[in-house]
Amino acid sequence: MVKLQRSIIYFLIFATMFVLGGVQNTKGLILEKVQNDISLDVSQVGIMVSIFQIGFLLASLIAGIFADRKGIKIVMSIGTVLMIGGLIGTSAAFTVAFFLGFYLIVGLGIGSMTVSVATLIPTFFKERAGVVFNLANALFGVGMIVTPLLLNFIFAHNVSWRFFYIGTAVVIAVILLALLSFKPAKQAASQGQDTVTISSILKLFQDRQILFVILFILFYVAVEAGFLNFFPIFYTALDIAGMDAAQKAATAGYIIASFAFLFTIGRFVGGFIIYKLGERRTLVVFSLFALVSLIVGRIFMTDFSYLMMLFGLALSVLFPTAQGIASKLTRQAGSLQGLIYVASGLGGAVIGILIGQVSQVFGISNGFNLLIVLTLVIVVLALLIRTPKESVG
């Protein structure tokens, strides 16, 4: 691979992960503003979150197979075009139906780009895939940290959320230009790993440990997506002495950024933690940590709201650790990778509708409290999961 092409690949991976982290971590902050802008109620916010995740799920189902047949470059190009069109469309939306339709397109674009990056890394960095994956996740975390702060700055200067989405579309257009200049070798272009077929899915479900891991990932993503999307709405609905709505919205943004900061730190040191504790023990310990930090943060929300950022540290290592365990349970790495993304999409889609409906009927506080129940489910699943060595004999 020539030096220029390698530089383009690094840019595609890291820039894409930075943008994806930013878009994922600002959905809740954006939707809180959209609520007032186009008159959404909290149940419709839940539907919006689910629509986004459904788009991600659909892309996960087909992007891996399409990458095998047509090449990574084509799939990633489609993803970037969908993202650009979806972001521009949502920025121009003044009705619920219009916003909903383009929000689905954004989800499709993110799903396609995520699967593309997951295929790109092991295709071009086989021996150093683990290092590049860690760096990519770190950039994802940096995007999660920077963008809420950027949004707070934008909102503080009375700039509409619409301009943020337009600006993000411009950044993705730059990624598309870099992608168009990328010329992969024919063998690499057609070498995919995220193949999802009915037969491979059914075969994977026959292994109980794989099923536990997939369910763990589904509930993990449900908890993470539920927190990031509904925490700003929940926090701004609290009655906190001495704070008006604008101050609460700004504080929620800073808490989300702090959450993301510790989340990123956890990803950086996750390999060392796993080395010391082992994969299964890491999964159990940090699942319990997540449950305790969420409960404590919820109890002391009005007085010590920044305690909630510990929840980000607790969640940080769970997803990659579960993926690491899953990779040792089967040789069907491609099918399992696709299935993991499908579980991710399902987890985010279901929790959006569930929390939205409960919040509409019983109030946002009770809707947010569902996250405690779901985190308890994660703890139970972590206790059920065994690594291959533990499951033998």
Side-chain angles (χ1 to χ4, degrees), residues 155-175:
F155 294 155
H157 289 78
N158 297 317
V159 178
S160 172
W161 60 270
R162 299 177 187 275
F163 290 100
F164 172 77
Y165 271 180
I166 292 172
T168 304
V170 172
V171 174
I172 295 173
V174 174
I175 293 175

Side-chain angles (χ1 to χ4, degrees), residues 156-323:
H157 289 78
N158 297 317
V159 178
S160 172
W161 60 270
R162 299 177 187 275
F163 290 100
F164 172 77
Y165 271 180
I166 292 172
T168 304
V170 172
V171 174
I172 295 173
V174 174
I175 293 175
L176 178 59
L177 290 175
L179 182 61
L180 293 176
S181 66
F182 171 50
K183 298 178 181 180
K186 291 184 178 180
Q187 182 180 3
S190 61
Q191 185 178 356
Q193 72 166 25
D194 297 301
T195 305
V196 181
T197 64
I198 294 176
S199 61
S200 65
I201 289 174
L202 292 177
K203 187 174 181 179
L204 290 171
F205 275 123
Q206 294 174 3
D207 189 315
R208 187 170 60 178
Q209 286 301 312
I210 289 178
L211 180 60
F212 287 152
V213 172
I214 291 172
L215 287 173
F216 180 92
I217 288 172
L218 187 152
F219 280 97
Y220 163 81
V221 173
V223 168
E224 183 187 326
F227 179 84
L228 293 176
N229 288 306
F230 285 94
F231 176 78
I233 298 172
F234 163 66
Y235 190 78
T236 54
L238 292 174
D239 184 12
I240 303 176
M243 293 182 69
D244 58 23
Q247 290 172 322
K248 287 188 288 186
T251 300
Y254 287 121
I255 292 172
I256 290 291
S258 301
F259 170 100
F261 175 76
L262 289 186
F263 188 90
T264 303
I265 294 298
R267 286 283 170 90
F268 270 119
V269 301
F272 176 77
I273 294 171
I274 292 171
Y275 176 76
K276 289 294 184 180
L277 297 181
E279 288 176 326
R280 181 177 181 269
R281 191 175 298 173
T282 298
L283 207 65
V284 172
V285 169
F286 276 82
S287 295
L288 286 167
F289 180 22
L291 179 62
V292 172
S293 62
L294 181 59
I295 292 173
V296 172
R298 177 66 181 89
I299 292 172
F300 297 101
M301 181 65 67
T302 56
D303 297 315
F304 304 100
S305 58
Y306 278 89
L307 282 174
M308 193 59 77
M309 67 184 184
L310 293 174
F311 191 47
L313 180 62
L315 292 181
S316 63
V317 301
L318 295 182
F319 189 91
T321 303
Q323 278 191 307

Side-chain angles (χ1 to χ4, degrees), residues 14-31:
F14 298 139
T16 298
M17 292 300 286
F18 177 87
V19 171
L20 294 182
V23 173
Q24 290 278 31
N25 201 33
T26 53
K27 295 199 304 292
L29 298 170
I30 292 290
L31 287 175

